[in-house]
Amino acid sequence: MKSSRRDFIRKSSMAGMATYMGTLGLSAKSYRKIIGSNDRVQVGVVGFSDRFKDAHLPSFLKANKELNFDIIAVSDIWKKKREDGQAWIARQLDHPIKACINNDELYAIKEVDAVMISTADFQHAWHTVEAVRAGRDTYTEKPLAETMEDNRAVLHAVRSSNKIVQIGSQRRSGANYHAAADYIQSGKFGPIVAVELTWNVNQPGRWRRPGLVPLMKEEDTDWKRFLINRPYEAFDARKHLEFRLFWPYSSGIPGQWMSHQIDTVHWFSGFPHPRSVSANGGIYAWKDGRKNADTLTAVFDYGPADDLTTGFQVLFTSRQTNAAGDVKEIYYSNGGEMNLDTNKISPTGGLTERYAKQMDMPANLLPELSLNDMTEKVTTDAATGGDPLTAAHVRNWMECVRSRKEPNAPIEAGYHHAIAVIMANAAYRTGQRVTFDEKTQEVMAGEKVFKY
């Protein structure tokens, strides 16, 4: 009698589990492979992008078993990407994946606890708003926003929720960057007097998708949903798939590359955004119909808003036409430099003792030091893979989803880097010196609010 009762309970439980897993397209057999499944964190993928495939998923797979995370669904509005994503993720995780035609369908799956968002640049903000309103934590790629309207909306939505949101500024999970921030903020470096940021590649195909564009048909995607709040225009597969080349779907260089480096300026200095930005650039080499620059230089002024007599200048230069110079981040003080390419602090360029003595001034030369904590190096290849910085950043997000502690790159970090991105883009597109209105939280190009 007791044996029969136990068998009945066991069989009923398994039948219930099979029904539950069936709603996700998963079998009870695959479910039993997962240890500790009762408290597993279930993740959905918003946008099956190259970034997700080449960096997010490899990083996720380095920690998911240890931290008891799983991916159960993918949402993509293009049929091909949706089906490719479903098949690819299923192979990596060895169980079926639910394919969703849009985010509404994804969030209808109540078992989804969190999402990883890597959609088009201009969509990141709205997709994060959708997610937190649906009660999900997010890992949201940068840039967070390309307009201040979207930037303010996502900041408000996240702050109004109790959700964990990690912005994809992976430098904030790098040991060398933490060592650099600690050194500068301790006062040992001295006041920052200048910063030089460089990001150069020589890749004519960067952000191009010539093999995919002919495959996209309007009936296989949701063009209106793609546009979200951008002005309506007729379907264009290039703008859908090569969005980084076209404003207002992306600012290009500022949003993709500058957002990483300018974020460290905010982090290290404590200033949330520039006082002003001027920029110049153009499409000098790649005449392929793009609207975003292949070469850009932006000059930023940072410092307290109420004291223009103090501060420092940031020079950002980037080109896609010649790789000389590669990626560099160099901070200068009167006593020397901090080079985040070599990970060395040195007295290079500092006020010499001889000259200081002549002027009856302290030399304050920096010592020769190494940021020994750092083992990661930022790469600029088209496919970065699960690089150590991204792996550390995804892990930090996963740990914070469990602990409910603030992640390394919270929503405020994204909000502030987005201001700098929007200011640089506005300066390039208008040719004017751009400022930020603290009261209205608007980017001002001359006397006008910058939008598109």
Side-chain angles (χ1 to χ4, degrees), residues 177-337:
Y177 286 97
H178 278 276
D182 291 345
Y183 192 81
I184 289 175
Q185 292 164 7
S186 72
K188 296 175 184 177
F189 186 68
I192 298 170
V193 298
V195 183
E196 291 183 4
L197 308 174
T198 306
W199 201 304
N200 297 330
V201 301
N202 193 351
Q203 298 172 345
R206 193 67 177 250
W207 306 338
R208 293 291 309 276
R209 298 294 182 269
L212 284 179
V213 169
L215 302 180
M216 176 175 273
K217 307 303 179 186
E218 186 171 7
E219 58 267 25
D220 292 331
T221 190
D222 190 335
W223 176 244
K224 289 184 179 179
R225 186 177 281 265
F226 172 84
L227 292 173
I228 303 179
N229 56 7
R230 292 307 187 259
Y232 179 79
E233 61 174 305
F235 170 75
D236 188 329
R238 284 200 70 193
K239 291 175 181 175
H240 200 311
L241 295 172
E242 298 180 345
F243 56 86
R244 292 187 181 99
L245 302 177
F246 300 100
W247 177 249
Y249 310 112
S250 171
S251 57
I253 286 172
Q256 276 297 296
W257 294 339
M258 192 199 80
S259 61
H260 282 299
Q261 295 185 325
I262 210 68
D263 177 60
T264 66
V265 175
H266 300 161
W267 178 17
F268 294 176
S269 71
F271 293 117
H273 57 76
R275 289 187 294 207
S276 67
V277 185
S278 298
N280 208 332
I283 305 168
Y284 298 127
W286 308 133
K287 310 295 185 179
D288 54 7
R290 71 181 64 198
K291 299 300 180 182
N292 288 338
D294 62 20
T295 304
L296 183 75
T297 296
V299 183
F300 300 80
D301 172 53
Y302 277 88
D306 59 353
D307 184 2
L308 301 183
T309 66
T310 184
F312 59 91
Q313 187 179 82
V314 176
L315 176 66
F316 172 82
T317 61
S318 178
R319 61 177 177 267
Q320 296 175 302
T321 57
N322 184 290
D326 196 27
V327 175
K328 298 285 187 297
E329 293 171 85
I330 306 175
Y331 286 74
Y332 299 97
S333 74
N334 189 247
E337 71 171 31

Side-chain angles (χ1 to χ4, degrees), residues 19-254:
T19 300
Y20 160 66
M21 296 310 293
T23 64
L24 302 177
L26 305 176
S27 68
K29 181 180 178 181
S30 65
Y31 184 82
R32 286 197 300 270
K33 295 178 182 178
I34 305 169
I35 298 172
S37 54
N38 288 339
D39 63 347
R40 185 172 70 251
V41 176
Q42 311 267 36
V43 177
V45 175
V46 178
F48 183 62
S49 65
D50 291 346
R51 177 66 177 163
F52 173 80
K53 181 181 177 182
D54 298 334
H56 289 178
L57 186 56
S59 298
F60 179 88
L61 293 175
K62 290 179 180 179
N64 73 305
K65 290 182 180 178
E66 177 190 350
L67 298 175
N68 201 9
F69 275 63
D70 194 17
I71 295 174
I72 63 172
V74 58
S75 167
D76 200 293
I77 58 175
W78 186 26
K79 183 176 184 288
K80 175 176 169 50
K81 280 288 187 179
R82 183 167 64 249
E83 293 175 352
D84 288 351
Q86 180 185 35
W88 177 266
I89 299 168
R91 286 196 298 271
Q92 304 305 307
L93 291 169
D94 194 28
H95 66 66
I97 298 294
K98 173 70 175 177
C100 303
I101 62 170
N102 56 43
N103 295 340
D104 293 341
E105 186 172 301
L106 176 68
Y107 296 130
I109 303 173
K110 65 180 186 300
E111 292 81 13
V112 171
D113 303 302
V115 294
M116 303 183 80
I117 298 170
S118 57
T119 47
D121 292 355
F122 77 102
Q123 297 173 337
H124 294 161
W126 181 247
H127 286 161
T128 303
V129 170
E130 282 184 332
V132 298
R133 286 179 178 172
R136 272 64 173 199
D137 299 320
T138 85
Y139 183 100
T140 301
E141 262 304 335
K142 36 54 56 191
L144 177 60
E146 294 276 17
T147 68
M148 283 308 303
E149 179 182 9
D150 291 345
N151 205 24
R152 292 190 300 270
V154 68
L155 179 68
H156 175 74
V158 174
R159 283 181 168 177
S160 300
S161 73
N162 62 350
K163 298 294 105 181
I164 298 296
V165 173
Q166 173 91 297
I167 306 304
S169 301
Q170 64 263 28
R171 279 166 166 74
R172 288 189 178 241
S173 290
N176 65 312
Y177 286 97
H178 278 276
D182 291 345
Y183 192 81
I184 289 175
Q185 292 164 7
S186 72
K188 296 175 184 177
F189 186 68
I192 298 170
V193 298
V195 183
E196 291 183 4
L197 308 174
T198 306
W199 201 304
N200 297 330
V201 301
N202 193 351
Q203 298 172 345
R206 193 67 177 250
W207 306 338
R208 293 291 309 276
R209 298 294 182 269
L212 284 179
V213 169
L215 302 180
M216 176 175 273
K217 307 303 179 186
E218 186 171 7
E219 58 267 25
D220 292 331
T221 190
D222 190 335
W223 176 244
K224 289 184 179 179
R225 186 177 281 265
F226 172 84
L227 292 173
I228 303 179
N229 56 7
R230 292 307 187 259
Y232 179 79
E233 61 174 305
F235 170 75
D236 188 329
R238 284 200 70 193
K239 291 175 181 175
H240 200 311
L241 295 172
E242 298 180 345
F243 56 86
R244 292 187 181 99
L245 302 177
F246 300 100
W247 177 249
Y249 310 112
S250 171
S251 57
I253 286 172

